[in-house]
Amino acid sequence: MASIFLQLLCALLLVHCIFTQDYPPCKIRDILITQEIVGVVHGDIPQFEVTINNTCYCDQDGVLVYCAGFETMEEPDPTIFTMVSTSICLINQGLTIYEGSPLTFRYAWWRPSHFPLITSHVLCP
């Protein structure tokens, strides 16, 4: 009887592990950063608009991007994009980025910058 109970308990534990998975369903890759040219400033310098979008139902905060070499003739909105060192930038002052609530900022330079994600903190219930 104890052996059957132990086997049943092991089977239930296995099913639980398979279906609940003990890791957050969201990842840093669920933060999408896109940009496009939206105009021209100072005669002929392209103006870019960057959109940061959380595509997961879990919130994410503490988002950092790599931004070495970033230059601009227009300062981005500091509540959305802040350089914290010569190569690291903080998004949304480290505050939560919610699914379906994209953030945007603009900058103007001769060429687009790239903003690879470094880290984020996933806030899943």
Side-chain angles (χ1 to χ4, degrees), residues 15-45:
V15 168
H16 172 75
C17 289
I18 290 171
F19 288 104
T20 61
Q21 300 182 11
D22 293 329
Y23 59 87
C26 299
K27 304 278 188 224
I28 191 172
R29 69 176 173 261
D30 293 313
I31 298 287
L32 297 181
I33 300 177
T34 58
Q35 63 183 312
E36 63 182 336
I37 295 175
V38 293
V40 176
V41 296
H42 303 289
D44 59 352
I45 300 172

Side-chain angles (χ1 to χ4, degrees), residues 9 11 14 19 21 27-28 31 35 37 39 51-52 54 56 64-65 69 85 87 89 94 98-99 102 111 117 123-124:
L9 184 61
L14 178 63
F19 288 104
Q21 300 182 11
K27 304 278 188 224
I28 191 172
I31 298 287
Q35 63 183 312
I37 295 175
T51 302
I52 302 126
N54 179 7
C56 184
L64 295 173
V65 297
S85 76
S87 61
C89 292
Y98 301 97
E99 177 189 26
R111 64 188 179 288
L117 291 158
L123 306 168
C124 270

